[in-house]
Amino acid sequence: MRISLYATLATLALAVPAVAQDGDAEKGQKEFNKCKACHMVQAPDGTDIVKGGKTGPNLYGIVGSKPAAEEGFKYGEGILELAEKNPDMVWDEASLIEYMTDPGAYLKAHTGDDKAKTKMTFKLNKNQADVAAFLAAHSPEAGEAAAGGDEG
């Protein structure tokens, strides 16, 4: 059973990069309304791109940044484990799509820990590529992440 779960996750992970390129940032901004109950997109100068909650970290600049990188934010153990076990990882659109589709499964697959847990219980069922494109549009390091070929 566990092997088939990993095989399914691996198949999805391989399919995700092709989908990531099809994202529409404008549509993603509208779709982000589902995320703003917990997350905001606020530039370093304090400009609110999307006002939102503080339960989750600010997602400005998420594409091209390392997991659990926002200073002062209290992350859950699962995402901290992801960052520790993958020190060279940076978020790209494909990894964000996979994460927002099923955060718990993503952490389990990318930490190798079947007991990894996430504080993010929301799963985005559709339009993930659009949200990822929206976040990439508000991530100054996004171009560097794509050029560097770092995986998620």
Side-chain angles (χ1 to χ4, degrees):
M1 174 90 166
R2 198 177 286 168
I3 293 172
S4 66
L5 174 63
Y6 288 128
T8 301
L9 288 173
T11 301
L12 288 172
L14 292 173
V16 167
V19 175
Q21 298 172 0
D22 294 338
D24 181 321
E26 198 170 305
K27 289 179 183 175
Q29 183 170 5
K30 291 177 187 172
E31 194 68 28
F32 190 81
N33 285 331
K34 295 175 183 174
C35 309
K36 72 180 187 177
C38 296
H39 296 279
M40 70 175 97
V41 180
Q42 184 181 68
D45 67 2
T47 302
D48 286 322
I49 296 158
V50 176
K51 288 185 179 185
K54 295 180 181 178
T55 304
N58 176 9
L59 296 180
Y60 180 87
I62 188 75
V63 177
S65 71
K66 293 178 180 272
E70 185 179 337
E71 288 187 36
F73 186 80
K74 186 174 168 100
Y75 289 96
E77 290 179 23
I79 198 84
L80 292 171
E81 182 180 9
L82 175 73
E84 181 182 320
K85 289 186 174 181
N86 301 280
D88 296 329
M89 177 192 166
V90 293
W91 291 112
D92 59 18
E93 288 182 54
S95 59
L96 284 171
I97 290 168
E98 186 182 354
Y99 181 77
M100 69 179 93
T101 300
D102 190 338
Y106 183 89
L107 291 178
K108 289 174 184 174
H110 292 274
T111 62
D113 180 355
D114 287 344
K115 295 182 181 178
K117 293 187 180 177
T118 180
K119 288 173 125 182
M120 186 169 137
T121 57
F122 181 79
K123 297 177 183 179
L124 191 60
N125 297 329
K126 60 182 180 176
N127 304 321
Q128 298 93 324
D130 295 335
V131 174
F134 168 70
L135 293 173
H138 298 288
S139 296
E141 305 297 319
E144 291 178 28
D150 290 325
E151 77 281 347

